Amino acid sequence: MVDRNGSNQTPKTGDLDDLGERLKVARQKRETPVETADDGSLLGQAWRMSTELVVSVVVGLGLGYGIDVIFGTKPWGILFGLCLGFAAGIMTVLKTSAKMDAQNAGIPLGDDMPDDEDE
Amino acid sequence: MTSDPMQQFQIKEKAQLFEIFGQSISWTNSAFWMVVAAVLIVGFFALTTKRKLVPGKMQSLGELSYEFIANMVKDTTGAEAMKFMPFVFTLFFFILAANLIGMNPYAFTTTSHLAVTAAMAIFTICVVIVAGIWKNGFKWFKIFAPSGLPLPMYAIIIPIEIISFISRPITLAVRLFANMVAGHVMLKLFAIFAAYLAAKGGIFALGAIVPVLGTMAIVALEFLIAGLQAFVFAILTCVYLNDVYHVDH
């Protein structure tokens, strides 16, 4: 086979075949986990994250209000509660999404993996 | 058929049983359909597990549902959490059965009541707390304080972690309840709209085809939601059970 540069080397085809093979394997690796993740649970994940975010804010607000009522620290409890609740919501959603990403890509993600060794 | 979309959620007292602390305990339509759900599940698994070596169609259905939950627990929490598999199994199938029963006309959707979903969610989180303390002792409270942070950060992180922990049972309960209520209200509204249009007659009766098609679409969606919400409840139970076994996160 004569390639663009005019050199005539038979191993080239072997390399190409090999490359093709490896590409195929790599593509399969990339495609299959996404397909398995798409088993109708995507809607469930969306539900999960949206409620987590909203409820965290509400819980923060409620706790802040409770502290206000008990200790008489009128506006500050609600204020800090709201901020903390929002932070908690964002944190939970970030954690959840990191876990989902790792699951989709088939990558074990540090602390979220079930670790059997250290117990 | 009434034209109030919220009437389907009304609890009807069938018989008063007894009183505890001035609170009357009664047999209601909700209780009845809960028992129906439980009987259906037990009946289903009693009939499908004949333990033949080569499973027939129904037996594979029973075995597949077992494996489905077993894999869910194993994949999400780990093999050591298989102790909780019966619990997750019961939750999943009770919610699934209750949701699907609710799709039948004249049946009552028990999962459309916050009291029911909250009871399950609070019980779930109590299981996590009790099992966590049982297994790890008071070290379990470290889930609120992840290690390896600069000291001042804990003043912020601990309240945040506590808030996110408290919101867990609430998300579980509210999500299921809100989904069921919203779906059934939507279904009823579309159906009522169709009935009104048909009653108007003439050109309006022709227009009734649109809400009828909408109702059909929502019925399909509701069946999806019924399974999905049971699945989400079960898998989140597994995720929360993680905290029993993996304190250092």
Side-chain angles (χ1 to χ4, degrees):
Chain A
M1 186 188 154
V2 183
D3 68 13
R4 247 193 324 199
N5 300 332
S7 64
N8 193 353
Q9 289 172 315
T10 34
K12 275 279 182 205
T13 54
D15 276 356
L16 267 181
D17 279 347
D18 189 40
L19 186 66
E21 203 66 32
R22 278 188 293 153
L23 264 176
K24 215 162 116 193
V25 171
R27 280 210 185 105
Q28 267 173 356
K29 248 187 213 157
R30 191 181 291 172
E31 274 160 17
T32 38
V34 177
E35 274 167 21
T36 49
D38 198 24
D39 54 0
S41 61
L42 287 177
L43 194 59
Q45 295 180 348
W47 264 110
R48 193 181 149 187
M49 290 168 90
S50 49
T51 35
E52 271 169 357
L53 184 58
V54 173
V55 169
S56 291
V57 176
V58 173
V59 168
L61 199 69
L63 282 183
Y65 180 73
I67 287 171
D68 270 353
V69 168
I70 293 169
F71 299 106
T73 50
K74 197 61 191 197
W76 299 109
I78 281 189
L79 206 65
F80 279 109
L82 191 65
C83 293
L84 285 176
F86 193 67
I90 298 284
M91 192 192 69
T92 320
V93 166
L94 283 181
K95 265 189 193 170
T96 311
S97 63
K99 209 179 282 186
M100 285 169 182
D101 281 350
Q103 236 162 29
N104 281 354
I107 304 166
L109 182 75
D111 43 51
D112 292 323
M113 284 305 288
D115 36 358
D116 301 315
E117 301 87 35
D118 60 6
E119 278 188 271
Chain B
M1 197 159 111
T2 55
S3 54
D4 181 3
M6 297 311 274
Q7 193 158 37
Q8 56 179 323
F9 303 118
Q10 219 162 51
I11 297 264
K12 292 188 194 79
E13 200 175 278
K14 303 280 182 200
Q16 192 145 23
L17 298 181
F18 50 87
E19 275 195 15
I20 300 178
F21 304 121
Q23 190 74 40
S24 73
I25 308 292
S26 36
W27 178 251
T28 60
N29 52 351
S30 177
F32 171 73
W33 287 107
M34 273 189 243
V35 172
V36 169
V39 168
L40 278 182
I41 300 163
V42 173
F44 174 75
F45 284 106
L47 288 177
T48 52
T49 48
K50 291 207 189 85
R51 301 190 192 181
K52 284 192 205 121
L53 200 58
V54 181
K57 270 183 202 145
M58 289 313 278
Q59 196 182 336
S60 354
L61 200 60
E63 283 173 8
L64 276 176
S65 43
Y66 173 89
E67 265 169 34
F68 173 60
I69 303 291
N71 285 338
M72 185 199 286
V73 175
K74 250 183 257 169
D75 292 345
T76 323
T77 317
E80 72 269 27
M82 283 302 278
K83 272 179 231 161
F84 291 105
M85 192 234 146
F87 173 58
V88 180
F89 190 87
T90 313
L91 270 182
F92 177 79
F93 280 100
F94 179 71
I95 295 169
L96 183 68
N99 288 353
L100 288 180
I101 285 171
M103 287 308 294
N104 291 301
Y106 300 108
F108 182 83
T109 323
T110 49
T111 40
S112 69
H113 274 267
L114 191 56
V116 177
T117 58
M120 290 190 286
I122 290 169
F123 186 77
T124 303
I125 227 67
C126 286
V127 164
V128 171
I129 294 173
V130 170
I133 294 177
W134 184 278
K135 195 167 175 298
N136 306 294
F138 284 95
K139 255 175 66 189
W140 178 76
F141 287 99
K142 268 172 75 184
I143 65 160
F144 295 121
S147 49
L149 283 176
L151 207 59
M153 281 295 284
Y154 283 109
I156 305 169
I157 282 293
I158 291 176
I160 287 179
E161 290 279 353
I162 289 174
I163 288 173
S164 77
F165 190 82
I166 292 174
S167 52
R168 281 173 179 187
I170 301 175
T171 47
L172 276 181
V174 168
R175 180 173 33 236
L176 179 56
F177 141 83
N179 263 286
M180 296 328 283
V181 169
H184 281 76
V185 167
M186 213 153 65
L187 206 55
K188 198 87 171 187
L189 280 178
F190 269 73
I192 291 168
F193 190 43
Y196 275 167
L197 280 179
K200 274 263 185 197
I203 190 83
F204 292 107
L206 267 177
I209 192 94
V210 178
V212 166
L213 286 178
T215 315
M216 283 163 69
I218 291 174
V219 167
L221 180 74
E222 275 305 288
F223 273 108
L224 172 73
I225 297 273
L228 184 73
Q229 290 305 324
F231 174 74
V232 168
F233 201 110
I235 202 153
L236 280 182
T237 303
C238 296
V239 169
Y240 297 157
L241 281 172
N242 246 327
D243 278 345
V244 175
Y245 293 100
H246 312 291
V247 173
D248 269 318
H249 75 134

